[in-house]
Amino acid sequence: MRIVVCDDEPLARERLVRIVQDSGHQVVAQAKTGAEAILAVKEQQPDVILLDIRMPEMDGVRCAQKLNELQHPPAIIFVTAYDHYAIAAFKSHAIGYLLKPANRDELLEALSNAKNLNAAQLNEIRKLEDPTARPIREHIAARTHRGVELIKLQDIYYFTADQKYVKVRHK
């Protein structure tokens, strides 16, 4: 994955860069402030940004909010020394929140989670691939002596045609 690392502390930034590169990912840019991070994301189009919260000029939460305004924002993983910003971080659509010093395994797990798509995202991708696609049918409507009933497709054994009628055999 292509990653931007943003932290105002040089040692913390170097440590994150080393962990990311040792795990086979590519650090495409480093930033010291939220403003620098936004520029780096616009130029590099990374998959993920590792973002500190307390930084000069623009804090990480504000930076994340600005990043989410982009057409294709990166996944945001906060790496910070402060646990009390977690709610604000997740309100800014973060996919991870690690406390410093983040250990290698936690960071790699967060990066792995960044690759996973949820059902809503997959559904939107399918719509983009085929805008004429309709939702998958799960039921059929059948007129019976009780009125119109919905029958689950998974409960149907077979259909038979009987002149102008169709019969359905189901559970």
Side-chain angles (χ1 to χ4, degrees):
M1 283 191 295
R2 296 169 40 83
I3 300 170
V4 168
V5 177
C6 180
D7 197 312
D8 61 325
E9 299 174 35
L11 293 177
R13 197 170 53 246
E14 289 172 20
R15 183 174 185 277
L16 290 173
V17 167
R18 188 173 55 253
I19 293 171
V20 167
Q21 289 176 335
D22 288 349
S23 64
H25 299 291
Q26 179 184 9
V27 175
V28 294
Q30 296 182 40
K32 296 177 225 149
T33 67
E36 286 181 18
I38 292 170
L39 290 174
V41 167
K42 287 180 178 178
E43 290 174 6
Q44 299 296 327
Q45 298 293 308
D47 304 309
V48 176
I49 182 167
L50 301 178
L51 191 57
D52 189 15
I53 289 196
R54 299 271 310 260
M55 296 181 291
E57 295 178 33
M58 179 188 294
D59 70 0
V61 174
R62 183 72 184 125
C63 176
Q65 291 167 345
K66 290 280 192 189
L67 290 173
N68 283 317
E69 293 172 4
L70 299 175
Q71 186 173 4
H72 300 290
I76 299 167
I77 299 172
F78 283 101
V79 184
T80 183
Y82 304 95
D83 61 353
H84 56 276
Y85 290 102
I87 292 173
F90 284 111
K91 282 184 178 179
S92 65
H93 306 289
I95 62 156
Y97 193 90
L98 306 175
L99 291 177
K100 288 180 182 176
N103 72 43
R104 182 181 190 281
D105 294 335
E106 288 175 334
L107 181 56
L108 294 180
E109 182 179 348
L111 290 173
S112 177
N113 290 341
K115 294 178 188 178
N116 298 334
L117 294 175
N118 62 38
Q121 291 167 328
L122 286 172
N123 192 30
E124 288 302 310
I125 291 170
R126 287 186 192 112
K127 286 180 185 176
L128 291 174
E129 290 173 352
D130 185 8
T132 62
R134 293 176 19 187
I136 298 173
R137 178 183 289 263
E138 294 180 10
H139 298 84
I140 62 163
R143 188 174 306 159
T144 68
H145 64 282
R146 291 181 286 227
V148 177
E149 295 182 44
L150 290 178
I151 301 170
K152 291 183 179 178
L153 289 178
Q154 65 188 27
D155 292 345
I156 295 174
Y157 296 121
Y158 60 88
F159 294 92
T160 55
D162 185 17
Q163 294 188 16
K164 66 178 187 172
Y165 297 102
V166 175
K167 296 180 183 178
V168 61
R169 183 65 135 180
H170 61 91
K171 292 181 182 175

